[in-house]
Amino acid sequence: MADKLAFLDEELQALKEQGLFNTIRTIGSPQGAWLIVDGKKVLNFCSNNYLGLANHPRLKEAAQKAVAEFGVGPAAVRSIAGTLSLHLELERRLAQFKGVEAAISFQSGFNANLATIPALVGEGDVVFSDELNHASIIDGSRLSRAKIVRYPHADPDSLEKAISQESGYKRGMIISDGVFSMDGDIAPLPQIAEIAASHNLLLMVDDAHGEGVLGRGGRGIVDHFGLHGQVDIEIGTLSKAFGVVGGYVAGKAKIVEWLRQRGRPFLFSSAVTAADTAACIAALDLLEESGALVDRLWENTRYYKAQMQRLGFDTGKSETPITPVMLGDAPLAQKFSRRLFEEGVFAMAIGYPTVPQGKARIRVMISAAHSKEDLDQGLVAFQKVGKELGVI
Ligand SMILES: *Cc1c(COP(=O)(O)O)cnc(C)c1O
């Protein structure tokens, strides 16, 4: 009989041939400016640890204390016996930080999207979705069974046109990433908010790469544009700038209450642990005490990008610490990444389906944890490999 898994051999082989096979490296150290990767010490240009909090002593101490006080496992879903006082404190603190009525935490940003979109729209409704939105928005939208209308990336005029072509739906919702994770550009949120208001549509923004980065002291994209009260739903993650793990939704109290009643990942999957939750609260303490880490992140970002451009690299249209180094061809991007690794720099190649075909790149993630010497060392490696491979 035929091998019923033969299709996987073919699929995996095809990925390898197209330069799209993802070789996952093993990390043997805490997250920081430097990592031990597959046993080798390398400069870390990959992680979303924007502020260096993933190994911060205050967060670690908070996590350890929480383990001593609450143990390790939540033992039930939040709605049965898994809601700790720490979860509620985190939610209060997140709402305060974001300047909204309420917040609800989830196991991840991905789950926050899977919970929220199907809870707010369904059959007979329409989701207007930026074509470069994160996979979790796409999946959440599909789960909702609402009609999905993709509009051209970050283009308010096309969004307006797409809206005018739809009629007869019950509810409509516009969803956009705040900062686009592979290009580092910022959504034109003021225009989108105006469009949402004029058509009486719900507006949801995923601020995963905006919080801890944009706005006063890292309060995110809504604060960055001064749009408080004009965005109905903000999705956040606690795994990027916050340095821990988890996700959340911030907005009006009744939206948060509805998600507590009907958000399926909230109802049917256990919560993040006490240690994670306490560490997130400690991250909020740090962010509210001082904007120094956010300032440092931006100083590093400006320096690194200016130097990369001076060397002749195309860093796309990024406006944030996400720095794509555009290479086009997926095998070239993979080769570039391998050579960088040999030169002591860990920077991943990103190809289809994470980015469109023909838009492969190396994605450099700048962090407040990098010193100027670290960045200079990275620049030397990029220059060497870039010349060697005929990119610059
Ligand atoms: C990273 C990311 C997520 C997922 O966050 P996790 O907490 O890692 O699940 C969701 N949305 C966007 C836009 C992201 O960049």
Side-chain angles (χ1 to χ4, degrees):
M1 273 215 281
D3 174 6
K4 59 189 173 185
L5 291 178
F7 74 102
L8 290 180
D9 297 328
E10 285 164 30
E11 295 284 357
L12 288 166
Q13 188 54 35
L15 289 181
K16 286 177 187 162
E17 280 161 15
Q18 295 159 40
L20 297 174
F21 185 83
N22 201 353
T23 306
I24 299 172
R25 305 262 194 194
T26 309
I27 311 297
S29 65
Q31 285 290 333
W34 291 80
L35 293 175
I36 308 290
V37 180
D38 293 339
K40 175 177 162 136
K41 187 175 176 203
V42 287
L43 182 61
N44 179 12
F45 271 172
C46 283
S47 79
N48 300 319
N49 181 24
Y50 285 110
L51 302 176
L53 298 185
N55 190 40
H56 194 285
R58 291 253 308 260
L59 274 71
K60 291 201 286 189
E61 195 189 322
Q64 280 157 356
K65 262 183 70 185
V67 169
E69 194 175 337
F70 291 97
V72 289
V77 299
R78 290 275 306 272
S79 53
I80 293 179
T83 295
L84 301 174
S85 52
L86 280 175
H87 292 124
L88 300 179
E89 185 187 343
L90 173 63
E91 289 168 349
R92 270 195 302 276
R93 292 288 305 278
L94 283 168
Q96 194 182 318
F97 183 70
K98 300 292 280 189
V100 295
E101 286 177 10
I104 176 171
S105 66
F106 287 90
Q107 304 86 350
S108 68
F110 202 109
N111 267 356
N113 276 318
L114 292 194
T116 306
I117 304 169
L120 294 175
V121 291
E123 236 168 309
D125 299 331
V126 182
V127 167
F128 299 96
S129 182
D130 187 290
E131 66 181 344
L132 294 189
N133 275 345
H134 190 263
S136 56
I137 296 176
I138 297 170
D139 289 5
S141 302
R142 285 181 183 153
L143 267 178
S144 79
R145 299 173 176 219
K147 177 174 179 185
I148 300 166
V149 175
R150 280 160 39 112
Y151 64 89
H153 175 55
D155 181 351
D157 291 339
S158 300
L159 169 60
E160 180 84 61
K161 202 167 134 212
I163 294 168
S164 71
Q165 285 167 353
E166 295 299 320
S167 62
Y169 54 88
K170 286 182 296 180
R171 277 193 294 284
M173 176 152 78
I174 302 172
I175 310 181
S176 180
D177 275 20
V179 174
F180 288 85
S181 51
M182 292 301 140
D183 293 277
D185 55 333
I186 302 175
L189 200 57
Q191 292 93 316
I192 294 176
E194 222 169 274
I195 293 171
S198 73
H199 295 274
N200 202 26
L201 299 173
L202 290 166
L203 175 56
M204 172 169 149
V205 171
D206 185 335
D207 205 19
H209 282 281
E211 57 220 348
V213 177
L214 296 178
R216 288 168 306 148
R219 279 165 178 73
I221 189 171
V222 170
D223 192 83
H224 170 78
F225 283 121
L227 291 172
H228 295 282
Q230 295 179 55
V231 174
D232 299 298
I233 306 116
E234 286 179 75
I235 303 292
T237 179
L238 300 164
S239 69
K240 287 174 179 147
F242 281 81
V244 193
V245 73
Y248 68 91
V249 180
K252 288 248 160 41
K254 63 180 122 179
I255 294 176
V256 166
E257 188 54 53
W258 181 240
L259 292 174
R260 238 178 251 130
Q261 305 302 323
R262 282 294 177 270
R264 289 172 68 83
F266 182 88
L267 296 172
F268 298 108
S269 180
S270 296
V272 288
T273 66
D276 298 321
T277 311
C280 289
I281 295 169
L284 280 165
D285 289 339
L286 282 171
L287 281 164
E288 287 182 346
E289 278 165 28
S290 156
L293 284 174
V294 180
D295 293 344
R296 175 68 193 259
L297 169 68
W298 281 97
E299 251 168 63
N300 281 350
T301 297
R302 280 189 283 271
Y303 175 74
Y304 190 77
K305 276 191 180 160
Q307 296 302 315
M308 283 294 278
Q309 283 156 13
R310 196 180 54 80
L311 290 175
F313 286 104
D314 173 4
T315 57
K317 49 196 162 79
S318 169
E319 305 165 77
T320 62
I322 298 169
T323 308
V325 181
M326 306 304 288
L327 297 167
D329 184 39
L332 172 63
Q334 285 207 334
K335 186 158 184 208
F336 205 111
S337 173
R338 272 199 306 277
R339 280 291 296 120
L340 283 173
F341 193 77
E342 286 161 12
E343 298 295 323
V345 175
F346 184 38
M348 283 301 271
I350 311 250
Y352 182 81
T354 310
V355 296
Q357 299 268 20
K359 297 217 169 156
R361 65 199 64 181
I362 301 281
R363 175 166 165 267
V364 173
M365 299 299 285
I366 300 298
S367 158
H370 291 118
S371 67
K372 175 146 182 303
E373 293 68 44
D374 295 336
L375 298 178
D376 284 339
Q377 214 164 317
L379 288 162
V380 167
F382 262 93
Q383 181 172 28
K384 181 171 177 191
V385 175
K387 283 197 171 143
E388 187 184 301
L389 299 181
V391 175
I392 53 169

